[in-house]
Amino acid sequence: MADGKQIPGLKPGLAVSAALAKLLKARLAFVLQRSRQIAPQPEAVHQLRVGTRRAAAALRLAKSRLPAKKRQRVKETLTELRRAGGRVRDLDIFLATVHDAPNESTRAFLTGHVAHERLTAYRKLAEVVAARLPALIRMARTLTACIKPAEHEIAFGDHIDTRARRQLHAFNASLVEAVAQHDPVHLHQLRIQAKRLRYTIEVDGAKWQDFVKQIESLQTILGDWHDAHALQPRLAAAREAAASVNGAAGSPVGNGIEAMLRAAERRETKELAAFQKWSRAWQVFQKKHVKAVL
């Protein structure tokens, strides 16, 4: 379980109650492990956030088998961890982009511009993790015991298929809106639906592996679009800060930030075109593959 994705022994033919217990236990154990090992490095923060998303997907799959109040408490804890990590993750993406700044003056200025903000965000994340760790330990130990066998058990693979139908429908509805509107609100909603669909079907990877690959491709496109879109207001704010120190025009820092803004705009346009191309290919892909899995 190095990346928290694959779970040994989780087979489509397992009784759904046993499979859900195994899945939820593994997902919560991963979040607990990453919480105990939380560190300032970007990858540690990223893995914690991905772990919370996969655990949330497991909660949705087990929704009908868990007490509502217990499930809600776990959901709220996972959401709090993910959001606290999200602030750090956004700054890490910004800092990764700073490495491509056109000159050393710009790199140094932008790094300093957000260094304290990143430190503060990480400290907040560490505080949230420390506060939630005892609850996470209890959840990991006790929640799966709440999943009891039903009178008529179905196979885990059939349960995945039922959930996949619903999430595929929601995903396609969001896709139609995003293609039509092409705005950040609808593209963000599509990103959410893509993650939910992927984290549901990836646990039955042999059957759904072609779908997982398609969704991962979309996530890459939308992730790159989001990074370029989110980068621009942060660069604009940095440009104002630089102008207050170095003057409004002609400084290496100001010129460097302007170049980065133009590059981010071009990148955003490129990824939107890639998204349109992906959406057309997705329609063809679905016609060939949906009947095979459903």
Side-chain angles (χ1 to χ4, degrees), residues 51-90:
T52 63
R53 290 191 182 280
R54 287 197 167 109
L59 274 181
R60 287 191 291 271
L61 282 170
K63 181 178 180 179
S64 63
R65 303 296 187 93
L66 291 171
K69 289 184 178 180
K70 287 182 179 292
R71 184 181 64 83
Q72 185 62 27
R73 283 197 292 269
V74 179
K75 179 182 176 182
E76 289 171 357
T77 297
L78 294 172
T79 299
E80 188 175 2
L81 290 171
R82 186 179 70 251
R83 287 177 177 172
R87 184 62 174 164
V88 184
R89 180 67 178 165
D90 288 346

Side-chain angles (χ1 to χ4, degrees), residues 104-144:
E104 183 58 36
S105 296
T106 305
R107 284 192 290 273
F109 177 82
L110 291 175
T111 300
H113 183 64
V114 300
H116 179 72
E117 188 179 357
R118 204 277 183 184
L119 176 62
T120 301
Y122 175 74
R123 285 175 175 171
K124 176 61 178 177
L125 169 62
E127 289 174 4
V128 171
V129 168
R132 291 300 187 183
L133 195 55
L136 275 173
I137 293 172
R138 289 194 302 273
M139 293 168 187
R141 287 175 178 171
T142 64
L143 190 65
T144 55

Side-chain angles (χ1 to χ4, degrees), residues 7-11 14 22:
I7 300 173
L10 190 65
K11 304 294 184 182
L14 280 178
K22 183 184 288 290

Side-chain angles (χ1 to χ4, degrees), residues 3 32 38 50 53 69 71 118 120 139-140 155 160 181 199 204 210 236 240 246 256-257 267 285 290:
D3 63 357
L32 180 58
I38 192 63
V50 171
R53 290 191 182 280
K69 289 184 178 180
R71 184 181 64 83
R118 204 277 183 184
T120 301
M139 293 168 187
I160 293 292
Q181 301 296 330
Y199 293 146
D204 190 3
D210 291 335
E240 290 185 18
N246 301 313
I257 293 174
R267 183 181 172 195
F285 171 83
V290 167

Side-chain angles (χ1 to χ4, degrees), residues 155-197:
F156 181 56
D158 293 337
H159 183 64
I160 293 292
D161 289 350
T162 299
R163 293 294 304 180
R165 285 188 189 96
R166 297 174 189 170
Q167 297 204 347
L168 191 57
H169 177 76
F171 170 80
N172 280 324
S174 290
L175 177 60
V176 169
E177 292 290 334
V179 169
Q181 301 296 330
H182 234 231
D183 66 334
V185 172
H186 289 89
L187 288 167
H188 177 65
Q189 182 61 32
L190 181 62
R191 288 183 74 211
I192 293 173
Q193 293 296 343
K195 289 173 183 177
R196 289 182 176 178
L197 176 60

Side-chain angles (χ1 to χ4, degrees), residues 86 94-95:
F94 176 79
L95 287 169

